Amino acid sequence: MTKLKPIAPAPLDASRLYTLCDPESFPFTETGQLDPLEDFIGQDRAVAAVRFAMDMDHHGYNLFALGPQGTGKQSLVRRFLEQTADSRPVPGDWCYVHNFDDPHKPRAISLPASQGQPLVRDMDGLIEDLRSALPAAFEGETFQNHQQAIEDEYKKHQEDRFSGFQDQAAERDVALLRTPMGLALAPLKDGEVLSSDDFKALPEEDQDHYRRRMADFQSRLEEMMAEMPRWEKEKREKLRALTKETTQLAVGHLIDALREKWADRAQVLTHLETVRDQVVEDPRDFLPLPDGSPEEAAGRGASLRRFKVNLLVDNGGPRRGAPVVEEEHPTLGNLLGRVEQVAQQGTLMTDFNLIKPGALHRANGGFLILDARRLLMQPLAWEALKRALRGDRIRIESAAEAWGFAGTVTLEPEPIPLDVKVVLVGDPMLHYLLSAHDPEFAELFKVAADFDDRMPRTEEYIRHYARLIAGVCNKEKLPHLDAAAVARVIEQCARLAGDSERLSAHMSSIVDLVREAAYWARSGDRELIGAEQIQQAIDAREFRSDRIRDRIQEEIARGTLLVETEGARVGQVNGLAVLQMNDFAFGKPSRISARVRPGRGEVIDIEREVALGGPLHSKGVLILASFLNHRYGADRPLSLAATLVFEQSYGGIEGDSASSTELYVLLSAIAEIPIKQGLAVTGSVDSFGRVQAIGGVNEKIEGFFDVCKAKGLTGEQGVLIPAANVKHLMLRHDVVAAAREGRFHIYPVETIDEGIERLTGIPAGQPDDDGDYPLTSVNRAVGTRLQRMARRMQDRERSAPPIQVTMG
């Protein structure tokens, strides 16, 4: 008999289950001795991308910062933007003024920084000056005399014409009378006006004579009366010319003073000339109201608003460099600006003074930071942002206008040129979806800053971490950490990264850990945070989150969920899964069972059949079926029907980390060899029988350890993990202690043969030159059982009655 060489792996030494950080290696005793770290660590790729995007002035080189939440991407981006902004010039101010030619299209005026407020004050001062100067000019003696002269001239001209007409009529015995109905002609005899009766008493010939004369003068009177509107118009024109001349004299020196002050701003000069023309043309807005209604007073106030200046963007004051704006609520109005409305006498009114800036206005000439998810959740905001970036201009529009549903007259402010660098911050999935489904995204956001969630665990990065912690303590006035506490934080960083050779870059979790440890230090009246407080914070956070895990462990201990930790069973093995509850993950042991019978080579995945198995899990089952066919069905078809199932599973199953486990239990069922129930298994398998790495290895091991500990550790229990996962081990201290004492074991497995040998205690066996396995091996038992099932299938087929077909 050939003696089989065992290949089952030995358990890992306890020193390989947890990689310690030695506080004695630190050149400090507490973080208060360190200079705080100003730069971010472990994000070299992202930092290079941010710098590149900031230095590229070409169109479309906006930035998308992508990475897991909590990696500090928003803080890093903002810090770099602020550093870049300090070296750039302060952008100018922007104002809106009334468009006297087209009131619903206000004009935009660009000014150097800090010049917007002076223009606002100058125009407000001009309004007040005009309200004083114009009434004084029109109430002055010069204007009054000239106005009276024009009135007197018109009155004299009118009286002269009527007097001459009256004299001519009197010479022809016709009188010109003024009646309540107006001017009238009447016959005149001996200087007396004839009454109607006296006129009728005259001979017919004399009546005709009077009628002819009166008709002649009536036509001449009508001609004279027709000239009166022309006389009135001439008077009004003279009065208007006088008013303009007077207004020009009153306004001219005020406007000229402003023109001299703003001589280098062409847009302001143009607006001042327009204001001059408007005031000269109609100065009534600045004259006192006669006793009028409140409505008239309100109308006068609204009319004066036309001469004001709406300072939309004010970059004056102590600002240094370009603006860095972060918009927390990127709605359409908050992004592009809006035109507000006010209620007046039951009607919604608006004017250019009610134009309000958006984030793009405030960030113009600088940088705008937006949360990508919040932006995409706002209707119309994403499309509006793209339009602004494509056209390099900001056009204010309402949601109704964007939808094409605007039914009321509103303002159309002149668009403002846009020069801004936009930074979107979001999850990687958002970036990938936008890249795949929005053809404009790649043209507008050409740079991606990909933030990593972990970094190498090197001495350099460990020192950087210590300085980072020092900065957090200084900034938030927390107790500093001693060297042992820093070492424990580093170990926890490796645990969060799921890798003993890496550190987590999830800065939010580390900062929270320091804050919570500071709470426990202050509760114990400690001046420094020690390793004990760090561990206390970790335990407290876990306790707050592990209700579901404790409930599952409790039900396993009570026997409600069946998980065996002693003895051996055929076709049954303990698999390991990870459940994620928000930011808390834990391992959950599950029984996986397999049953076999003669069949036609089918491996039925019950989870898939009932639509509880995900595609990756189904892929793993198909791979293990491929392995079976290759190893045991190369010369003959497999004549078996097998079923695989996760017992007491009432939810979805996803991932291929149980494929090696399912293969082990299938081999056990075929060979009818029991598997030790004190062992649990995790790992995926490839078509060649190699065991591959999986995720959540620490949580899976700890989940089975807790079950074994609750039921009693026997020294025979443990977990089989892929050998490739050994470098990821950062197990809890109680698991490491049990392994050190020989009460629990971790076995690194590279192949299915190594694993099945450890699970059954029977050598797996290697084929000889003829392809035969040793008699006392697992593989020989599997092959023998498959041959028996194949013969049974053949016997069934031979004994089956022939099928008779009747042709009718």
Side-chain angles (χ1 to χ4, degrees):
M1 179 180 296
T2 303
K3 185 176 181 181
L4 298 180
K5 180 180 179 181
I7 60 174
L12 289 171
D13 186 82
S15 61
R16 301 185 65 185
L17 305 183
Y18 189 89
T19 303
L20 291 166
C21 179
D22 184 9
E24 298 297 329
S25 64
F26 295 156
F28 59 88
T29 58
E30 51 104 355
T31 55
Q33 302 169 352
L34 300 175
D35 294 329
L37 183 69
E38 298 296 334
D39 296 328
F40 279 76
I41 58 175
Q43 302 293 354
D44 296 342
R45 181 181 290 103
V47 168
V50 173
R51 285 177 174 163
F52 173 75
M54 296 306 102
D55 293 339
M56 285 294 292
D57 293 329
H58 298 282
H59 185 273
Y61 280 88
N62 297 296
L63 177 70
F64 194 111
L66 61 145
Q69 190 72 22
T71 52
K73 54 184 180 295
Q74 195 149 346
S75 301
L76 184 148
V77 167
R78 186 172 185 89
R79 180 178 299 178
F80 269 95
L81 293 186
E82 289 174 346
Q83 292 173 356
T84 305
D86 286 343
S87 62
R88 297 197 176 187
V90 179
D93 296 345
W94 281 97
C95 306
Y96 272 113
V97 296
H98 182 69
N99 185 346
F100 292 97
D101 297 326
D102 194 352
H104 81 287
K105 292 184 177 180
R107 290 197 174 108
I109 294 180
S110 174
L111 296 170
S114 303
Q115 294 298 303
Q117 284 290 357
L119 180 60
V120 171
R121 290 194 294 268
D122 286 348
M123 292 305 295
D124 288 344
L126 177 63
I127 293 172
E128 293 303 317
D129 291 343
L130 290 175
R131 295 184 70 180
S132 300
L134 287 177
F138 287 116
E139 293 171 1
E141 183 177 351
T142 301
F143 176 80
Q144 295 293 332
N145 290 338
H146 280 82
Q147 185 182 41
Q148 188 61 46
I150 294 172
E151 294 284 353
D152 292 345
E153 179 186 1
Y154 171 76
K155 184 177 180 181
K156 183 177 182 304
H157 177 72
Q158 188 179 35
E159 289 178 351
D160 289 347
R161 290 295 304 272
F162 276 100
S163 177
F165 180 85
Q166 193 172 22
D167 292 343
Q168 294 176 11
E171 291 176 357
R172 302 295 300 273
D173 295 329
V174 176
L176 179 64
L177 304 177
R178 296 180 184 272
T179 70
M181 302 299 295
L183 296 175
L185 297 175
L188 187 67
K189 185 177 181 180
D190 299 329
E192 297 291 335
V193 177
L194 294 176
S195 65
S196 178
D197 293 339
D198 291 340
F199 181 78
K200 292 178 180 180
L202 292 175
E204 189 65 31
E205 181 180 351
D206 291 343
Q207 292 184 24
D208 292 340
H209 177 71
Y210 276 114
R211 289 191 183 99
R212 285 193 299 270
R213 288 183 180 181
M214 291 174 60
D216 178 49
F217 277 102
Q218 180 67 38
S219 62
R220 292 167 63 181
L221 177 62
E222 289 176 356
E223 290 177 0
M224 187 176 64
M225 295 297 293
E227 290 181 356
M228 290 185 65
R230 179 173 60 81
W231 302 342
E232 187 69 28
K233 181 179 179 182
E234 290 175 356
K235 184 187 75 168
R236 288 197 305 270
E237 289 177 350
K238 289 183 179 180
L239 290 173
R240 187 178 298 113
L242 175 62
T243 300
K244 285 186 177 181
E245 181 181 356
T246 304
T247 305
Q248 184 69 44
L249 291 173
V251 171
H253 71 283
L254 297 175
I255 297 290
D256 290 342
L258 292 181
R259 284 180 56 83
E260 183 178 351
K261 180 178 180 180
W262 297 95
D264 59 340
R265 307 310 305 172
Q267 288 179 298
V268 177
L269 293 179
T270 300
H271 181 64
L272 288 174
E273 285 303 314
T274 304
V275 170
R276 183 206 300 268
D277 294 342
Q278 183 67 24
V279 175
V280 169
E281 186 67 28
D282 186 4
R284 289 175 298 176
D285 291 331
F286 300 93
L287 300 179
L289 270 174
D291 293 339
S293 64
E295 290 79 7
E296 291 177 337
R300 172 62 58 85
S303 183
L304 287 178
R305 286 169 60 87
R306 299 178 300 158
F307 300 95
K308 288 180 170 290
V309 172
N310 178 8
L311 180 55
L312 193 74
V313 179
D314 182 9
N315 284 316
R319 179 187 298 278
R320 185 184 68 182
V324 178
V325 176
E326 185 172 351
E327 178 54 57
E328 295 289 340
H329 188 45
T331 63
L332 180 64
N334 289 346
L335 201 60
L336 293 184
R338 61 192 180 278
V339 179
E340 295 182 343
Q341 296 175 322
V342 295
Q344 290 183 357
Q345 301 177 15
T347 304
L348 290 178
M349 306 294 292
T350 188
D351 62 24
F352 75 97
N353 291 284
L354 295 175
I355 299 173
K356 303 301 179 182
L360 284 173
H361 294 99
R362 299 194 304 273
N364 203 5
F367 307 94
L368 175 61
I369 305 173
L370 298 171
D371 183 278
R373 185 183 65 85
R374 294 175 184 168
L375 175 66
L376 293 171
M377 288 175 64
Q378 296 299 328
L380 307 174
W382 172 241
E383 290 298 326
L385 175 64
K386 290 192 298 179
R387 280 196 300 272
L389 294 178
R390 283 198 313 267
D392 291 327
R393 64 177 191 166
I394 312 171
R395 180 181 178 274
I396 298 177
E397 60 182 351
S398 66
E401 289 178 281
W403 283 112
F405 294 150
T408 58
V409 177
T410 184
L411 299 183
E412 296 180 18
E414 180 182 356
I416 289 178
L418 177 63
D419 178 20
V420 69
K421 186 78 71 173
V422 178
V423 178
L424 294 182
V425 181
D427 295 330
M429 185 57 68
L430 280 179
H431 181 269
Y432 303 144
L433 288 173
L434 287 171
S435 299
H437 299 290
D438 190 334
E440 296 175 321
F441 175 73
E443 291 299 319
L444 297 175
F445 292 86
K446 295 179 182 291
V447 184
D450 194 354
F451 284 75
D452 203 347
D453 60 349
R454 60 182 189 170
M455 65 191 77
R457 184 176 174 176
T458 63
E459 292 298 324
E460 178 185 6
Y461 282 122
I462 289 174
R463 290 195 299 271
H464 287 334
Y465 244 112
R467 293 177 58 197
L468 178 68
I469 294 170
V472 172
C473 295
N474 288 340
K475 181 179 179 181
E476 303 193 13
K477 295 181 172 36
L478 303 175
H480 280 277
L481 281 68
D482 62 23
V486 173
R488 185 67 188 90
V489 171
I490 295 300
E491 293 167 0
Q492 182 64 12
C493 286
R495 168 67 185 230
L496 292 176
D499 193 329
S500 63
E501 300 173 0
R502 297 289 184 270
L503 297 175
S504 172
H506 196 268
M507 300 302 172
S508 177
S509 296
I510 304 306
V511 172
D512 287 345
L513 177 60
V514 173
R515 291 172 181 148
E516 293 167 20
Y519 167 81
W520 294 110
R522 286 167 174 165
S523 299
D525 295 327
R526 291 180 56 93
E527 295 183 358
L528 292 177
I529 299 174
E532 179 184 353
Q533 284 72 49
I534 297 294
Q535 186 61 49
Q536 196 171 4
I538 294 172
D539 294 341
R541 180 182 295 184
E542 184 175 314
F543 176 74
R544 294 192 299 268
S545 304
D546 69 349
R547 183 183 66 84
I548 301 299
R549 182 187 67 177
D550 279 1
R551 180 66 58 83
I552 292 175
Q553 293 288 341
E554 177 186 337
E555 295 305 319
I556 292 175
R558 296 175 63 193
T560 306
L561 297 178
L562 301 180
V563 176
E564 299 184 27
T565 59
E566 296 185 57
R569 297 276 185 177
V570 173
Q572 178 177 304
V573 70
N574 292 319
L576 300 173
V578 172
L579 299 183
Q580 186 78 37
M581 309 296 291
N582 294 327
D583 59 347
F584 179 67
F586 60 91
K588 176 183 178 298
S590 299
R591 272 187 313 131
I592 301 176
S593 61
R595 304 299 296 270
V596 299
R597 57 182 176 79
R600 301 187 179 278
E602 298 173 337
V603 177
I604 299 174
D605 176 13
I606 293 180
E607 308 297 335
R608 179 182 180 183
E609 294 297 318
V610 297
L612 287 178
L616 295 181
H617 176 260
S618 299
K619 175 186 176 183
V621 174
L622 293 175
I623 289 174
L624 71 86
S626 171
F627 171 80
L628 284 176
N629 277 285
H630 175 75
R631 173 168 286 191
Y632 304 109
D635 299 329
R636 65 184 70 85
L638 293 181
S639 300
L640 86 159
T643 57
L644 290 168
V645 66
F646 280 72
E647 303 288 358
Q648 292 185 295
S649 170
Y650 307 103
I653 304 292
E654 180 57 311
D656 64 348
S657 62
S659 57
S660 68
T661 313
E662 292 171 312
L663 181 53
Y664 291 138
V665 74
L666 194 55
L667 293 176
S668 168
I670 295 172
E672 297 180 313
I673 297 176
I675 287 178
K676 298 174 182 177
Q677 298 301 292
L679 299 176
V681 184
T682 185
S684 68
V685 66
D686 66 10
S687 299
F688 300 95
R690 291 174 298 204
V691 179
Q692 303 169 134
I694 44 81
V697 64
N698 292 295
E699 290 80 3
K700 291 177 178 180
I701 293 172
E702 291 165 359
F704 188 66
F705 172 81
D706 290 338
V707 172
C708 295
K709 183 178 179 181
K711 293 190 173 186
L713 293 172
T714 64
E716 300 295 327
Q717 295 146 333
V719 177
L720 278 64
I721 66 170
N725 279 122
V726 172
K727 58 181 174 290
H728 302 140
L729 293 177
M730 287 293 293
L731 293 169
R732 285 194 328 240
H733 296 321
D734 55 343
V735 182
V736 176
R740 184 179 296 109
E741 297 166 2
R743 296 183 295 128
F744 196 77
H745 310 284
I746 312 298
Y747 300 98
V749 176
E750 293 185 357
T751 66
I752 288 297
D753 286 338
E754 291 180 5
I756 195 66
E757 185 168 313
R758 173 56 62 188
L759 287 170
T760 61
I762 298 174
Q766 300 298 316
D768 57 20
D769 295 338
D770 296 329
D772 295 327
Y773 291 97
L775 289 176
T776 57
S777 67
V778 175
N779 284 322
R780 180 62 174 265
V782 171
T784 302
R785 178 79 187 282
L786 290 173
Q787 289 178 4
R788 291 204 306 269
M789 287 191 289
R791 287 195 295 270
R792 187 175 301 174
M793 287 296 296
Q794 292 174 358
D795 293 341
R796 289 181 182 177
E797 291 174 356
R798 284 196 294 267
S799 62
I803 300 175
Q804 297 182 355
V805 179
T806 303
M807 304 296 292

